[in-house]
Amino acid sequence: MYPAEFRYHRASSVEEALDLLDRNPGAKFLAGGHSLIPMMKLRLAQPEVLIDIGRLDELAGVSANGDSLSIGSLTTHSEIASSPELRKHCPILAEAASKIADPQVRNKGTIGGNLAHADPASDLPAVLVALGATIQLRSRDGARAVPASDFFVELLTTSLAENEIMTAVEVPKLGAGTGSTYLKVEHPASGYAVCGAAAVVTVEGGTWTSASLAFNGVTATPLAALEVVEALIGSDATDQAIDRAVESRLSVPDPMSDLYASGEYRAALAAAYGKRALKSARDRAG
Amino acid sequence: MSVLGTSIKRREDPALITGKGKFTDDFSVPGMLHAVMVRSPHGHAKVNNIDSSAAAQAQGVVAVFTATELEATGIPGVIPTVWLLPGIKTPAHTLFATDRVRYVGHPVAVVVAETIHAAHDAAILVEVDYEPLPAVVDPKAAVADGAPQIWDEAPNNIAFDWELGDKDATDVAFAAAATTATLELRNNRILPHAIEPRAALAQWDAENGKLTLTMTSQNPHVHRLLMTIASLGLPEHKIRVIAPEVGGGFGSKIHHYADEAITAWCAMQTRRPVKWTATRSETNMTDAHGRDHWSTAGIAIDADGKIVGLRIDTHAAMGAYISTFAPAVPTWLYGTLFSGQYDIPAIHVHVLATFTNTAPVDAVRGSGRPEAAYAVERLMDAGAAAAGLDPVEFRRRNFIQPDAFPYQTQVALAYDSGNYLPALEKALAAADYDALRADQAKRLADSSGNAKLLGIGLSSYIEACGIAPSAVVGSLGAQAGLWESAKVRVHPSGSVTVYTGSCAHGQGHATTFSQIVSDRLGIDVDQIDVIHGDTEEVQFGMGTYGSRSAAVGGSAIVKSLDKVIAKGKKIAAHLLEAAVDDIEFEDSEFKVKGSPGQSKAWGDVVLAAYLAHNLPEDVEPGLEETSFYDPANFTYPFGTHIAVVEIDRETGEIELLRYVAVDDCGNQINPMIVEGQVHGGIAHGLGQALWEEAVYDESGQLLSGTLLDYALPRAHQLVSFELDHTVTPCPHNPLGVKGIGEAGAIAAPAAVANAVSDALISVGAEPIDMPFTPEKIWRALQEGGT
């Protein structure tokens, strides 16, 4: 549990962080450190340079931005879980953040670090996919925005370029008639999601007008259950419709498998929790 | 009023909870070097060559040693096995692996460096040329035809073949029985997981040829002796072993390991202090693991629902080497418990112990007794079902009756006392058993099919503790006596220091032993100190494990206190000009019977002993007594635990709803500490039942080697335990105590297993084995549930 030797820089601005990154190819940003440091201690990661961005206040906090909310990449999980704006306008994100690990981790771990690490069993990715969130990235060449559904490329890999830093995550304000739920089956050792189901639905006049459903922990990147949702739109917002849609349309390609849960079982959990998340979100929409 | 039997607060806690407790790794001394082991990454491989040249040249490295350098110094260099059985194979367990590695974690080299970081960096540079060999990790697979052979001297990987009881009589009982039930049982391998990893700080005084070894030990004198005779070869009096604060052990710090001996040897070679502390990963790889059985178990019942026979056939994993006390665990600490709380006329136990390419298996909390209780109590439920009886009624019919004690079982043990029905009744009442059964039925009748299943499980366990009568264990293969010692030193001003051979590592001996002394001498606990864990201060001791400290260590203290009081009476009689037989000691005063006012206070008599101005002729000055107490028998704590679980039929997810425990550990010295031990033990047992499993792949890689994969129980996963007790004092020790440190770990796995089985059987699914993960339950429901 001793990391290999590394050099350490502390950035005092985003610009300086990007300059340091430019000068030190392969360097890693250190934010909350709750994914990176354990990997370094196990020597699964051996970056030669760490750039500490932990004190860049410009990257922290939640702010309203018209119909959306902007969450700085350094915002901690506990800040997200307790943010009045998020609890009011985007409660599923606060709900998911409150289910991450334990209080110590939530007090240090950041949304940016979480997403950049792209652990498939993490709690935020599927929620952002279900919300249709946007990830804001910046490099010395400029800024760009990537939809959450495109951000997660494969296991532990994102579309974040070598020279980029994540600055913020934009999520929509959910309006009246929209309900959202994040349910999680927790791994008893790691606390990560064996299956995390995120549902965001809008019900008008007893029928689904929009819906999204996505899963953490089941596949290598967040699994968006687009076919399930397609089957729902326009139909009655009943339990039967949900059961039918999930049972007939949910497909889980290449589910992950580990000592605790096989792929087959994860797929079964996705079906069960997909239904439960949709039903709960619908009830909350009412 | 005596403090004995009251819940005074633990004296240990202010230091521990404010971070002031000093554990082995907290000690640093000037000039200290750091050792890091280079360990086998293979479960089974030939070692063709070790090239340590790059590591030796790395910055900050002082030395790199392998078996070659160690052997050149001519020390004995092995880890001994100190419990032997007829026919057992004990291949040489060398400190460093030599030409072959047999489990992941065995050290092949050590790097000693100026800093811990330099040592870790250099350890990676040691190049070992391994040639992987086929491995076998499962105790049943190890004896199959064509299995890889781990030791040339152990054909078919058999370490020993052991049996107990009467096979013929048992076969006859099964043949004649009205009904029988058979179970295939798996007792999962678990990691001991003391919070403090093993560690050692070795200081070598070359001029005086003396080694001081501060280390994580449950039995420092035993470690010193084994260092002398088997590992280092230094004279025993030239080794001082100190166990400072020890952060838990659960058995793992009883055993003798290579790392501490290598650390000591490194200090001797470099002539500088050397410290080694295991990382959590090393702890998981190398601390002796627990359990790992496959068994076929059967129970035979007559037409009246009385058990007529019980048998078990077990494959037990030993690991790659036979650890310190390992042979006792699946034999004398296991087979002897198969009568449980029941009157069983015929029992047969057969154990085939095998070598496996895994970490050695040895004692872990309960050691043998949890495995036995698991099998017996699973059989009790299976037998009840076969006999068409409720599990409660089946137990009632078969309990050994209170008037039958002492009770000679068919598996060697003679239970000294017991009263099993009251504990069962108390547990049933606390759980409201009938209401639970009604709730269960109501859920099953729910037509929606969505109601969660309820499972109710009983475990009426017994254990043999207070380990152990020396002559008995000697006849069974122990290469040690299991008595305990205590020196009571009364200081001239009347305060007391107790030197005990017990060695606390979380149990609270400083508190409970002070309560014993306070009760006997009538002095305040603040006037009493308890010293343990230092071979230089304590006469000799066998240490703490097997729920023995109160029953054996506490009794040794009582024996010394009795001698102190007897001497005090002689002095008091002399001072009071009365006959010794007329002196009684109570409330801290020596009094002449029937003569109120004629008395001498404790302090006056103690001072007189030290002044020695006016002592009887046959009395020496001073007041200090040492005793070595050898128990007459084991002690037999028992109780009934009830687990209530809820199962989600769609996902197999399981939730523990309630846990009721009624334990009988005899007289309680400190009920709060008893309760704490019960809590910890239950959590330990629930961990094994619900989450924990050490898993090796076929090549011998430990897949569950980190806390990301290996699930220890956490507070939020548990429930508030509902505890109660009965009191059946032990008749053969002066305190009437029996031991409580292991009870929860022994009882809980079977209680949960029976609850899960109960829920599964209620919908027609087949019972499964630990750990009861949601997927296993889901599969059982998929395959058999209606």
Side-chain angles (χ1 to χ4, degrees), chain A residues 43 189 262 265 273 276, chain B residues 121 650-651 653 714 775 779:
Chain A
R43 302 204 176 198
S262 68
Y265 180 61
Y273 277 89
R276 294 176 191 188
Chain B
D121 285 345
E650 189 180 19
T651 63
E653 288 170 281
R714 300 174 192 196
E775 176 164 0
R779 287 193 182 278

Side-chain angles (χ1 to χ4, degrees), chain A residues 1-5 38 42-43 46 101-102 184-192 247 258-266 268-269 271-273 275-276, chain B residues 59 116-117 120-121 124 277 279-281 452 648 650-653 690-691 693 695 703-704 706-712 714 716-717 773-775 778-779:
Chain A
M1 300 304 274
Y2 292 84
E5 199 171 288
L42 291 168
R43 302 204 176 198
Q46 299 196 24
D102 52 46
K184 175 182 185 180
V185 177
E186 182 180 289
H187 188 288
S190 68
Y192 278 99
E247 282 161 20
D258 64 14
L259 276 183
Y260 184 70
S262 68
E264 186 189 359
Y265 180 61
R266 280 184 154 83
L269 285 177
Y273 277 89
K275 292 176 194 172
R276 294 176 191 188
Chain B
Q59 194 182 1
I116 185 72
H117 291 89
H120 274 280
D121 285 345
I124 293 169
T277 301
T279 64
R280 180 58 57 186
S281 304
K452 288 183 178 174
D648 184 320
E650 189 180 19
T651 63
E653 288 170 281
L690 292 169
W691 300 290
E693 184 167 33
V695 181
L703 300 179
S704 53
T706 78
L707 288 170
L708 277 176
D709 296 302
Y710 188 91
L712 288 179
R714 300 174 192 196
H716 79 274
Q717 295 162 326
T773 60
E775 176 164 0
W778 175 76
R779 287 193 182 278

Side-chain angles (χ1 to χ4, degrees), chain B residues 12 76 91 324 364 657 675:
Chain B
E12 296 86 343
T324 318
V364 173
L657 293 186
E675 208 169 291

Side-chain angles (χ1 to χ4, degrees), chain B residues 107-164:
Chain B
V108 293
V110 61
V111 175
V112 187
E114 297 286 349
T115 68
I116 185 72
H117 291 89
H120 274 280
D121 285 345
I124 293 169
L125 301 177
V126 176
E127 285 191 29
V128 186
D129 178 9
Y130 292 105
E131 186 180 328
L133 296 170
V136 62
V137 300
D138 177 281
K140 211 158 44 167
V143 290
D145 287 343
Q149 297 297 295
I150 299 172
W151 292 102
D152 294 341
E153 57 262 60
N156 299 316
N157 297 318
I158 294 171
F160 56 85
D161 188 336
W162 182 89
E163 67 178 326
L164 182 65

Side-chain angles (χ1 to χ4, degrees), chain A residues 188-254:
Chain A
S190 68
Y192 278 99
V194 178
C195 172
V200 182
V201 305
T202 307
V203 178
E204 287 170 39
T207 60
W208 311 95
T209 55
S210 79
S212 58
L213 176 64
F215 298 96
N216 290 313
V218 178
T219 49
T221 56
L223 173 69
L226 302 175
E227 293 86 355
V228 173
V229 169
E230 264 172 33
L232 283 179
I233 305 292
S235 70
D236 291 342
T238 59
D239 282 1
Q240 291 77 5
I242 291 170
D243 292 347
R244 204 167 47 235
V246 171
E247 282 161 20
S248 65
R249 306 294 286 272
L250 179 66
S251 86
V252 181
D254 299 326

Side-chain angles (χ1 to χ4, degrees), chain B residues 31 195-196 264 343 447 477 491 509-510 578 581 646 738 766:
Chain B
I195 294 299
E196 180 205 22
D343 180 23
S447 57
H491 303 287
H509 294 168
D581 290 347
E646 193 176 61
K738 297 194 287 198
E766 292 289 320

